Each structure stands twice: as structure tokens, then as C-alpha cells.
Amino acid sequence: MNGPIGKARPAAEIRAGRDEDAADYIRLIGDAWGEYPNCILDVDGEVPELRALASHFEASGGAVWVAERAGRVTGMVATRPLGSDNAWEICKMYVEQAERGSGLAHVLLGGAENYAQGQGAQRIVLWTDTRFDAAHRFYEKRGYVRAGSIRILDDISHSLEFRYAKPAHGLVIEALDAAAAASAERNLADILAACVADGASVAYQAPLSPETARGFWRKISGDVAMGNRLLLVAWLDGRMAGTAQLNLAMAENQPHRAVVEMLLVHPGYRRRGVGRALMRRAEQAARGIGRSLLTLDTRAGDAAERLYRSLGWVEAGRIPAFARNADGTFGDQLFFYRSL
């Protein structure tokens, strides 16, 4: 990539990294690792590529960038193709402690993601040490979720690493396992809170506290782990845009049935096909596990009602004054079913 990929504050510049920046790469990584116990940077023994990092990534078809403020390198990021499934990896993502919270990390990572997408990446992955809690929160905020097993490194720091991933392009819907569901809790809580603030009838009323929203998704993650629930998440161009669930915990005499619950699309991503795609995927997933009857309920008059009818769902009944609306009035609830 030629030239800057973004700006954090007016005095910060993002430029292509050079081999001559080796001392800055080593300083940034060494300082970050030094914040954690028993995390040791042995450059010549374990990461000699830091001595010529730009050449290292160029040889693999990737690139590296640094953030520079007043002549001092204050952050870095790199990306490279993985050679399979059109996936690219984010690597060497570090910013100085004084820059954290300034938005610089988002600019660096966003620029690297955009570059990878421009090179045809369909999926973006990264590895992060299990000790780096702040990094986990940052990546999760960017829409990444835990994916796959923990990686054990044979290094002097006895490192264990989480793998994170997300789709890079277009509208993509995936079912999350328990680890991915837990790592998505913050993003899903934001989606739930935004929908409640927008007037959605989903058992909560505004303002919904972050603690309550996170608590709800923590319970859902537990249900996923127990096999009682299927959690679907939609990404739109790499951003988590919506979610839906299949409640699979049916009575003993109803093994053929599941309930669609909590179809949520962030207000910022509506009218772009996200809700429709989630419903189609929920129906497909239900068929795949042998469920032949789906049910759901929704507040009468909501946009969701029109969506369900357009998808062929059949109204089964109405209960007047079922739940209180945000303005204090009561709304009717509609019940739908769909045979698969």
C-alpha cells in the first residue's frame, strides 16, 4: 500500500514500515510484552524477522505499517495472505501504552483489514496471547470471535494463543460455538442495547444497562455450550450486524420443533437484507438438524411481522395487551409457525 492508510489525530501519520524501523518494532513489542509476567521477547532466538520486518512480509505477499507522531514510531500492524481459503492474517498489532484509547489502534487495524480486503481476503484471522486481555477486548469490539483451538508455542515465554477470526466481505452468517459465543458477548450486548433503545419489543425496556445486556448473552453462551441453543451471527463487511437464535430445548414429545428467538439487527444495518438472511439461515439450520416445525412470536405491527409474513410464516394467533411498550401502552403479540 502506498501512502497513509488513515489518520488518528492530526499529528499522527500512518506510513509503510521499513526494515530500518527495526529498533522501533523491537521497542514496541518488547514494551507490550513486558506488561505481562513471564512474557519475554528474545529477538535473535525466536523472532529474528524483526531485524528486517518489511522485507519479511513483502516476501510472503503482505505488508507492514507504522504510526509515527512527531518523529516517534508509536504503533505498528502487519498483514499477510495465509495461502488457503482466501484468508489473510493480522500480525504484529501493537501501540504504545500512551496511545491506547486514542483511536490509533482502530486506524491501524482498520487500514490493515482494508488492505487485506482489497487483495481479495474473504476471511481475516489473528492469534493473540491468552494473557493479553486488553487485546482480546479490542479485537472483539472489532467483530472478531474466538475460532478453533488454543495454540501452544514452544517458546521461552510458554505462550498459549487464542485464534480469532471474522468474515471480511459482504453479508456472512455463521453459527457460533461456545467459545465464539462467549467472545461475542460484548458486541451482541451492544446490538441488544441499540435495538432496545430503538423500541424493539424483546423483554427489556430502555435504557438497558451494559451489565444486564452482558448477563443475558452470558446465559445464552451457556445454553450454546449445553447444546440447547444455536446462536447465529451476521457480519456485514466485517462488522457484526445482527443475530438470531434457535431454541432447541423442547419438551420430550416435541423433538421435531424449535423456536426462533431474538432476531436482532442493529439499527445502523437495517434494510440491507440482514434480518431476512438470518431467518433463511435459521430455517436451513433447523432442517439440517432434523427439525420440521418452527415457531416464534413478535409484537403486532413491528417490521418483523412484515418480514415473517413475506417469508411464508403463518399466523397462529394473537394475544391482546401482551407486553408494555416503551411509551407505557400495551401491545398485542402475534404467534407464527412455519413447517419446513
Side-chain angles (χ1 to χ4, degrees), residues 165-244:
K166 69 175 180 178
H169 267 309
L171 176 56
V172 180
I173 296 170
E174 297 181 354
L176 304 190
D177 62 15
S183 67
E185 286 174 5
R186 291 181 180 86
N187 250 325
L188 293 173
D190 289 344
I191 291 173
L192 175 58
C195 289
V196 170
D198 196 53
S201 179
V202 288
Y204 296 102
Q205 289 192 326
L208 178 62
S209 73
E211 294 78 14
T212 300
R214 286 287 303 279
F216 170 79
W217 290 108
R218 197 170 298 118
K219 179 181 182 301
I220 297 303
S221 297
D223 288 347
V224 171
M226 294 294 292
N228 293 328
R229 192 173 296 269
L230 181 70
L231 176 62
L232 299 174
V233 167
W235 284 265
L236 189 58
D237 294 331
R239 293 290 186 170
M240 203 174 286
T243 180

Side-chain angles (χ1 to χ4, degrees), residues 281-331:
R281 182 59 185 275
E283 293 174 10
Q284 179 188 46
R287 288 190 191 94
I289 57 175
R291 305 297 170 106
S292 58
L293 177 65
L294 295 178
T295 62
L296 60 79
D297 63 277
T298 188
R299 182 172 58 189
D302 279 0
E305 177 190 347
R306 297 189 294 276
L307 172 63
Y308 302 143
R309 293 189 189 279
S310 73
L311 290 171
W313 285 69
V314 180
E315 182 182 340
R318 174 190 294 254
I319 299 178
F322 185 83
R324 188 184 297 274
N325 299 320
D327 62 2
T329 62
F330 288 94

Side-chain angles (χ1 to χ4, degrees), residues 120-138:
Q122 296 299 312
R123 192 164 188 81
I124 301 178
V125 303
L126 60 88
W127 292 90
T128 178
D129 195 289
T130 56
R131 291 167 284 197
F132 295 174
D133 291 338
H136 306 161
R137 292 192 294 272
F138 171 67

